[in-house]
Amino acid sequence: MTIIRRAAGRTTGRAATLATALAGTLAALLAPAAAAQAAPAGCRTVTTTPLDAEQARLQDARTTVFTERAGLGDVLDGFPAALCSARNAHRAQRMVDIWGHRLWQAGLDRAQGRRPSGELPALDDRPLYWARLAMTVQLARWQPRFDVDHAELRARFEDASRGLDEGFSDDSGPDSGSGIRRIFISGFDPYGLDTEPRRANPAGAAVLQLDGQRITLADGSTAEVRAVVLPVRYGDFDDGIVERAFGPHLRPDGPQSADLITSISQGYPGKFTLEAWAGRARSADPATDNVGALSGGTTSHPVDAPGLADGPQFIHTTLPTDAMTAVQQPYPVLLNTPVVEIPAGATAPVRRTDGPTPGSRAVAGGGGGYLSNEVAYRSNRLRLALHPDLPGGHLHTPVLTGLPDQQDRVTSPEFEHNEAAISDQVRAILRSARL
């Protein structure tokens, strides 16, 4: 087990480098006086820059385990000095792209056993999540002597550090002549961190294990898997992160076209579910996202996401659900058919076990009215527009359990066993496909 130890005796003197001042530890991130002293000539930091609700959770001592003792320290330590080397806005953009990619690759290497994992298990998705947050604080507090758009730089860093800049290899796909198929998947960050900051997300862990891997499908063919990890933030969805992630892989004649897509998120206790229907609406309030934002919609008054392009109220999965639901160990895999709708001519929501009725208003898909449903709707709305015959849908994993009761411990054998079992079964479910 990994036990939280509070850092002691760490100080930053006037001769300390900016990299030390912004290394990602709790002390460096949240000690204004020390950080101010550490900035070398020509490179400034502003420690009064406000943190958003997600970044502010770095103040919880339990989160420092994931930034300090998970084998990602070289990336955290190197980013501030790299920012200081930028001499203009264009170079700053390039720098955040490079270091976002570097963090993503470090997270993949860690998850797939190519990099030391520190004191935490390699499969753990939490170090990548908390390291990314720590680096966004470093970026926000960097004040170069030229004008930059910090929001735009963060967006670039987020995309790169989540895998959006990656693609399938050149020797896969229909034009390569190799016969290698392509599967594109997405996972999610941890969420619900106000009540339990030690939480992981098994969907994120599973896709980190799979990204870049080649798997043998049920028909004997080989498929390459590519993945992204999405934020649990409504604002990023409003800004089109799902469409940016899936779009290149949904163009039939594009160089990055996929043969199957599926979004993946954490769902229900003790079972996997393949969602038969994705609904157009947001209806999750009062549940908030990772920055404390509301969707604006409830079960009684569902809303569409801002700027969401036209599409049907419900979209049916085209995944090979018969084959995928045959994978029943160690968790059952079920096809989940219920939806919540407001029937045509009615005003009150109704739960239906057999899918939507004609002319109804979507309230919730099989995955509810939160972002797991929305990623399924957005990706498959785009699929209908660009490549309607492509297999696509959404997979919910079981809830990951096994965190220790002792609050000073962040992992346990049970937790690690359950996380590995879920990841292994995600792989098995994808392998069941015949493309």
Side-chain angles (χ1 to χ4, degrees):
M1 294 185 183
T2 298
I3 304 174
I4 298 167
R5 296 188 296 265
R6 295 183 183 274
R10 295 191 176 189
T11 61
T12 51
R14 294 182 181 276
T17 64
L18 180 65
T20 300
L22 295 179
T25 65
L26 183 66
L29 284 168
L30 302 170
Q37 289 177 344
C43 195
R44 298 172 295 165
T45 62
V46 177
T47 57
T48 56
T49 302
L51 305 180
D52 66 31
E54 197 168 19
Q55 294 167 329
R57 295 190 188 100
L58 289 161
Q59 297 173 80
D60 190 314
R62 287 168 289 186
T63 69
T64 63
V65 174
F66 306 114
T67 56
E68 293 180 349
R69 289 155 47 205
L72 297 177
D74 58 321
V75 186
L76 281 163
D77 293 350
F79 187 45
L83 289 175
C84 283
S85 73
R87 292 294 177 259
N88 55 56
H90 176 74
R91 185 60 182 168
Q93 292 174 338
R94 180 66 178 146
M95 202 59 67
V96 297
D97 292 345
I98 290 170
W99 282 80
H101 169 76
R102 187 167 295 179
L103 176 61
W104 173 251
Q105 190 60 51
L108 295 180
D109 289 344
R110 187 183 183 283
Q112 296 176 21
R114 297 186 296 269
R115 179 187 179 96
S117 59
E119 298 176 43
L120 294 173
L123 183 56
D124 200 328
D125 66 307
R126 296 171 293 180
L128 176 59
Y129 171 75
W130 290 107
R132 182 189 298 111
L133 271 184
M135 291 172 76
T136 66
V137 175
Q138 294 171 340
L139 178 59
R141 291 182 170 174
W142 172 57
Q143 294 295 317
R145 300 188 183 278
F146 50 87
D147 291 336
V148 294
D149 182 338
H150 275 89
E152 188 262 346
L153 290 178
R154 178 169 178 178
R156 295 178 72 107
F157 175 77
E158 291 267 359
D159 278 9
S161 67
R162 295 179 177 281
L164 271 73
D165 291 351
E166 303 300 306
F168 292 102
S169 60
D170 292 339
D171 66 341
S172 67
D175 296 330
S176 69
S178 66
I180 296 172
R181 315 306 290 270
R182 291 170 166 181
I183 295 175
F184 186 75
I185 60 178
S186 68
F188 270 111
D189 286 344
Y191 62 94
L193 301 168
D194 285 331
T195 55
E196 177 49 88
R198 301 175 298 164
R199 267 196 192 115
N201 193 322
V207 305
L208 290 174
Q209 282 275 291
L210 284 162
D211 184 73
Q213 299 294 302
R214 292 185 173 179
I215 60 177
T216 301
L217 304 180
D219 59 6
S221 64
T222 298
E224 180 175 307
V225 182
R226 282 294 174 185
V228 295
V229 175
L230 297 172
V232 184
R233 298 189 297 246
Y234 286 113
D236 293 74
F237 275 53
D238 295 345
D239 290 339
I241 193 170
V242 175
E243 289 79 4
R244 292 199 306 278
F246 281 86
H249 310 296
L250 291 171
R251 296 180 177 89
D253 299 323
Q256 287 294 314
S257 61
D259 297 290
L260 179 148
I261 64 163
T262 187
S263 47
I264 306 172
S265 64
Q266 181 174 230
Y268 308 98
K271 62 183 178 182
F272 281 89
T273 57
L274 287 160
E275 304 307 333
W277 298 95
R280 183 175 174 83
R282 289 178 176 175
S283 58
D285 293 356
T288 58
D289 68 5
N290 271 354
V291 292
L294 293 166
S295 73
T298 65
T299 302
S300 300
H301 297 93
V303 300
D304 288 353
L308 184 62
D310 291 341
Q313 289 295 306
F314 290 96
I315 300 176
H316 195 267
T317 184
T318 54
L319 290 173
T321 56
D322 287 347
M324 289 178 165
T325 54
V327 182
Q328 291 290 315
Q329 294 295 329
Y331 299 96
V333 182
L334 309 175
L335 180 62
N336 194 37
T337 60
V339 300
V340 180
E341 66 174 13
I342 298 175
T347 58
V350 175
R351 184 179 186 273
R352 296 188 58 87
T353 60
D354 55 351
T357 56
S360 66
R361 167 72 163 106
V363 176
Y370 194 50
L371 290 172
S372 58
N373 170 79
E374 188 167 328
V375 67
Y377 183 87
R378 283 180 177 270
S379 58
N380 284 280
R381 186 209 63 79
L382 198 58
R383 175 183 61 78
L384 288 178
L386 298 176
H387 199 170
D389 296 331
L390 187 76
H394 187 80
L395 173 67
H396 266 121
T397 76
V399 173
L400 177 58
T401 59
L403 280 174
D405 292 336
Q406 304 95 320
Q407 288 296 305
D408 65 343
R409 299 179 184 271
V410 299
T411 189
S412 72
E414 179 187 1
F415 175 84
E416 294 168 24
H417 172 270
N418 293 344
E419 191 169 42
I422 292 170
S423 292
D424 288 346
Q425 195 165 350
V426 169
R427 183 188 296 264
I429 291 168
L430 293 179
R431 291 182 62 187
S432 72
R434 295 175 179 269
L435 301 178

